[in-house]
Amino acid sequence: MRPRPLPEVDVQTAVVARAAFRKPTLAMRVRDELGEVFTDGAFVDAFGVRGRPGISPGQLAMVTVLQFAENLTDRQAADAVRGRIDWKYCLGLVLTDPGFDFSVLSQFRTRLVTHDLQGVAFQTLLDRLVEQGLVKARGRLRTDATYVMAAVRDLNRLEMVGETLRAALEALTVAAPPPAVGG
């Protein structure tokens, strides 16, 4: 991984987003008020240094936060990155950015857990919110960290069950194709 800063908001993306949303959405406000919350450098231990550059872990962390805020599945979150102007604005993507496959999100969360970085991601967000005066230090939200982590874990497990079911149905279809209709 080669850490890189969060890209500036593309001019065309900004113009379209501001025209589409007279009142900024949560994703747009996060970008405008908090700026770059997650840096790639915070996740460097979880990613290899060889191969072609992958998706920015800082951007994936922000996608995970937006996903939780909107209670989306991995597939819905990946679709939001691909199709929603406000998410492209938040992530610094051009309007034509194709996004990524939804499976990248569960792989990202797995890397966070494997390298014990989930607390780092949560603490980074919490520190930025305190810094901006949006959350009081030592407030009630600090005790909700376990709830947030549990909800993300539950969402990840639910997505895995769905994918397992899909793979099993595909295997059954190959093994025992349905009878021909009208034959």
Side-chain angles (χ1 to χ4, degrees), residues 38 42-43 45-47 61 64-65 108-126 145-146 148-150 152-153 156:
F38 304 104
F43 305 101
D45 293 340
F47 292 87
T64 302
V65 169
F108 173 69
R109 287 190 303 270
T110 300
R111 284 180 185 247
L112 288 183
V113 171
T114 301
H115 292 86
D116 201 28
L117 293 173
Q118 69 273 24
V120 171
F122 183 76
Q123 192 62 48
T124 300
L125 177 60
L126 191 58
T146 55
V148 172
M149 296 303 215
V152 169
R153 185 184 65 234
N156 189 29

Side-chain angles (χ1 to χ4, degrees), residues 87-100:
W87 280 42
K88 288 183 184 288
Y89 179 93
C90 180
L91 299 169
L93 302 174
V94 296
L95 292 174
T96 56
D97 189 284
F100 52 82

Side-chain angles (χ1 to χ4, degrees), residues 67 70-78 102 105 155 158-159:
Q67 175 184 9
E70 296 190 17
N71 197 26
L72 302 176
T73 65
D74 285 353
R75 194 178 297 269
Q76 290 169 326
F102 71 95
L105 290 170
L155 188 61
L158 182 61
E159 190 76 25

Side-chain angles (χ1 to χ4, degrees), residues 12-179:
Q12 186 180 17
T13 303
V15 168
V16 172
R18 299 233 183 272
F21 303 102
R22 293 177 189 210
K23 182 180 177 187
T25 65
L26 172 66
M28 293 170 67
R29 287 180 40 226
V30 165
R31 176 61 187 241
D32 291 340
E33 295 174 22
L34 300 180
E36 183 175 24
V37 177
F38 304 104
T39 62
D40 288 352
F43 305 101
V44 77
D45 293 340
F47 292 87
V49 294
R50 293 187 176 192
R52 66 184 180 105
I55 300 164
S56 162
Q59 288 175 316
L60 290 174
M62 182 52 70
V63 169
T64 302
V65 169
L66 294 172
Q67 175 184 9
F68 178 77
E70 296 190 17
N71 197 26
L72 302 176
T73 65
D74 285 353
R75 194 178 297 269
Q76 290 169 326
D79 287 344
V81 170
R82 193 172 10 271
R84 286 185 46 185
I85 298 165
D86 57 335
W87 280 42
K88 288 183 184 288
Y89 179 93
C90 180
L91 299 169
L93 302 174
V94 296
L95 292 174
T96 56
D97 189 284
F100 52 82
D101 187 74
F102 71 95
S103 63
V104 169
L105 290 170
S106 65
Q107 293 168 3
F108 173 69
R109 287 190 303 270
T110 300
R111 284 180 185 247
L112 288 183
V113 171
T114 301
H115 292 86
D116 201 28
L117 293 173
Q118 69 273 24
V120 171
F122 183 76
Q123 192 62 48
T124 300
L125 177 60
L126 191 58
D127 290 346
R128 181 58 65 92
L129 294 173
V130 169
E131 196 177 282
Q132 295 293 319
L134 299 171
V135 174
K136 292 181 183 178
R138 306 240 187 250
R140 184 181 184 296
L141 292 179
R142 184 170 290 279
T143 62
D144 289 344
T146 55
Y147 169 77
V148 172
M149 296 303 215
V152 169
R153 185 184 65 234
D154 290 347
L155 188 61
N156 189 29
R157 287 180 178 165
L158 182 61
E159 190 76 25
M160 293 297 234
V161 167
E163 283 305 302
T164 302
L165 180 60
R166 182 191 58 75
L169 289 173
E170 284 180 5
L172 282 172
T173 302
V174 170

